[in-house]
Amino acid sequence: MRLFLDTADIDEIREINRWGVLSGVTTNPTLLAREKGDPEIGWKEILAEVEGDVSLEVTDLSSADAIVQQGTHLAAMGPNAIVKVPMTPAGIEAGKRLTKDGIRINVTLVFSPAQALLAAEIGAYIVSPFLGRIDDAAADGMHALRQICEIYEVQGYETNVLAASLRHPMHIVDAAIAGADIATMPFEVFAKLVKHPLTDLGLEKFSADWAKLQDELKGGA
Ligand code: G3P
């Protein structure tokens, strides 16, 4: 399962990229608004920093034509640019047209297996079910993800399932077990993947024992 960062913060992206485990980035209008700067500059910086897929979301949703126009512009920003379109009638119409033009799309704001079926049928490169937000609505996001993965497997769809709106490390573990192709998460969740209290305790003990040995050696010299 590929691991993506869900952020538009270039410093967060650079830090996780240094670990050598970052396969891509997802952005959305909310994440870009948080950074305050010109989105075009922000996207370019991220596209240059990351080797893998970077999702850039369309914001002109007035018609399918408008989505195709903006999507074509976003796709031209870099070979690793993936165009995010929303799961709406205009979004899937535009998504199908972009796909036909050879542009890779990510269908976003997906909350049900029925919507995921539509994304696969238009030949989307990625479908993004929002697990955490399904949980927020008192339903079972992981169950929806499992159903989507099963449908894609049974039907032989090649669309990549990207588990989004992930809030804690067990979301990532369960998404991997369910067979998701990609998991995208905020920096805080990524940072938690590396942490375990027993690792910290183990290190403390190793350091203390090593220091004791050095003292003994010095004392014996
Ligand atoms: O990028 C889309 C998705 O991951 C958003 O997550 O936490 O705002 O529901 P969240």
Side-chain angles (χ1 to χ4, degrees):
M1 186 173 74
R2 286 185 279 160
L3 304 176
F4 285 17
L5 256 179
D6 196 28
T7 187
D9 182 330
I10 193 69
D11 294 328
E12 293 182 351
I13 293 166
R14 287 194 177 122
E15 173 153 358
I16 301 295
N17 211 11
R18 280 197 291 273
W19 297 5
V21 293
L22 187 65
S23 293
V25 169
T26 48
T27 64
N28 64 38
T30 303
L31 295 171
L32 284 154
R34 208 173 281 164
E35 298 312 308
K36 307 228 185 292
D38 180 350
E40 294 270 333
I41 295 172
W43 281 325
K44 277 185 196 149
E45 223 173 7
I46 299 169
L47 287 162
E49 170 66 25
V50 180
E51 229 174 84
D53 301 332
V54 179
S55 286
L56 317 178
E57 188 158 343
V58 294
T59 49
D60 185 350
L61 308 175
S62 50
S63 66
D65 285 345
I67 296 173
V68 169
Q69 197 181 346
Q70 193 187 9
T72 306
H73 167 72
L74 294 177
M77 290 183 77
N80 52 341
I82 311 298
V83 177
K84 244 177 163 183
V85 301
M87 172 48 70
T88 60
I92 56 174
E93 180 190 334
K96 173 89 180 189
R97 285 163 55 188
L98 290 165
T99 299
K100 270 192 173 167
D101 288 345
I103 290 170
R104 294 182 298 165
I105 63 156
N106 172 354
V107 181
T108 190
L109 290 167
V110 165
F111 296 92
S112 75
Q115 292 178 320
L117 256 174
L118 292 175
E121 279 296 315
I122 61 163
Y125 171 62
I126 289 174
V127 65
S128 293
F130 279 29
L131 270 63
R133 292 195 197 181
I134 296 176
D135 292 350
D136 291 343
D140 187 345
M142 199 52 68
H143 179 65
L145 179 75
R146 281 193 291 270
Q147 286 186 315
I148 293 166
C149 290
E150 191 178 340
I151 290 168
Y152 279 22
E153 179 73 25
V154 168
Q155 297 294 331
Y157 288 130
E158 285 178 8
T159 300
N160 290 284
V161 179
L162 182 154
S165 185
L166 304 179
R167 308 277 169 79
H168 51 74
M170 281 313 292
H171 263 157
I172 285 83
V173 171
D174 288 335
I177 293 169
D181 301 286
I182 305 162
T184 193
M185 68 208 85
F187 177 83
E188 299 69 38
V189 176
F190 221 121
K192 278 182 188 165
L193 293 182
V194 79
K195 294 295 284 181
H196 196 288
L198 290 178
T199 304
D200 297 339
L201 282 174
L203 270 179
E204 268 174 42
K205 171 111 178 78
F206 285 157
S207 299
D209 288 346
W210 186 256
K212 201 172 143 211
L213 173 65
Q214 301 308 308
D215 284 348
E216 283 166 7
L217 290 173
K218 270 187 221 149

